[in-house]
């Protein structure tokens, strides 16, 4: 007998939430999951409640030019997506056309395009140097339980992605 479904791949989270609702297993509503997959919304919420001080902006051609002109250290990533696909440190040699090319590549990727919003938007966040971790946490009966910690290893910055 299936009691509930879990996944660590964020693209499956809305499906798992729907299955858990059908199984009457405790989970977030699918609509909540979709909101959390919006990286701009999530960062803004973390800022609003005092859990982050990282500035996040939706990347438009104007904000891109402002960031480049001010030589700000930023990290660019799709507003909605999976893992580090389409994410990169914004360097002075990057041109706006390269960002639109990445958006086009994402939309034409037959394997992963469904992991992104129908219109690919990017956000620019303050660049944070150092080791990156992912935490798997389950909230049950009013308590948080840390299930796993993943360190992103053997990942290095390459020409356009990380």
């Amino acid at each position: 007998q299936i009691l509930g479904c879990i996944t660590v791949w964020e693209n499956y989270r809305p499906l798992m939430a729907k299955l858990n609702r059908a199984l009457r297993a405790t989970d977030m509503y699918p609509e909540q999951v979709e909101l959390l997959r919006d990286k701009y919304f999530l960062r803004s919420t973390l800022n609003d409640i005092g859990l982050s001080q990282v500035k996040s902006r939706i990347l438009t051609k104007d904000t891109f030019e402002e960031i480049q002109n001010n030589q700000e250290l930023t990290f660019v990533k799709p507003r909605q997506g999976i893992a580090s696909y389409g994410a990169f440190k914004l360097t002075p040699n990057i041109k706006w056309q390269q960002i639109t090319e990445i958006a086009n590549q994402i939309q034409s990727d037959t394997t992963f395009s469904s992991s992104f919003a129908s219109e690919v938007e990017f956000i620019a966040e303050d660049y944070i140097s150092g080791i990156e971790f992912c935490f798997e946490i389950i909230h049950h009966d009013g308590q948080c339980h840390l299930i796993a910690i993943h360190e992103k290893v053997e990942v290095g910055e390459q020409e356009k992605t990380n």
Side-chain angles (χ1 to χ4, degrees):
Q1 180 180 359
I2 298 173
L3 300 177
C5 301
I6 61 172
T7 181
V8 296
W9 194 42
E10 65 186 282
N11 198 38
Y12 287 162
R13 275 299 288 130
L15 176 61
M16 295 301 112
K18 289 175 186 173
L19 288 171
N20 285 331
R21 182 184 256 176
L23 294 167
R24 297 181 192 259
T26 302
D27 200 349
M28 291 185 284
Y29 289 109
E31 299 80 15
Q32 289 173 300
V33 173
E34 289 295 346
L35 279 177
L36 292 175
R37 292 189 68 226
D38 180 334
K39 294 174 178 128
Y40 177 74
F41 170 81
L42 184 58
R43 179 66 72 184
S44 298
T45 301
L46 291 173
N47 275 300
D48 291 345
I49 60 176
L51 293 176
S52 177
Q53 296 177 353
V54 173
K55 183 171 53 176
S56 182
R57 297 171 272 181
I58 295 174
L59 193 65
T60 64
K61 189 171 184 180
D62 289 339
T63 56
F64 170 81
E65 289 172 359
E66 179 183 322
I67 290 166
Q68 292 291 52
N69 290 337
N70 294 335
Q71 299 178 342
E72 298 175 45
L73 284 175
T74 57
F75 192 75
V76 173
K77 56 187 170 185
R79 182 173 179 169
Q80 181 179 325
I82 56 170
S84 296
Y85 191 130
F88 57 94
K89 182 179 179 181
L90 188 59
T91 58
N93 62 324
I94 303 280
K95 306 293 182 224
W96 178 251
Q97 181 184 351
Q98 291 171 282
I99 293 171
T100 59
E101 287 171 7
I102 294 169
N104 291 335
Q105 289 170 6
I106 288 170
Q107 289 178 318
S108 64
D109 187 311
T110 56
T111 304
F112 295 111
S113 63
S114 65
S115 302
F116 295 84
S118 56
E119 181 182 337
V120 179
E121 277 188 303
F122 288 91
I123 62 172
E125 296 188 327
D126 295 339
Y127 184 79
I128 303 170
S129 63
I131 300 169
E132 186 175 352
F133 294 93
C134 176
F135 299 87
E136 305 297 336
I137 300 170
I138 293 177
H139 184 266
H140 181 69
D141 286 338
Q143 294 195 8
C144 289
H145 303 275
L146 180 60
I147 305 303
I149 300 171
H150 310 271
E151 177 185 351
K152 290 193 176 182
V153 294
E154 297 184 25
V155 177
E157 293 181 18
Q158 297 176 4
E159 184 181 343
K160 288 189 203 169
T161 193
N162 197 356

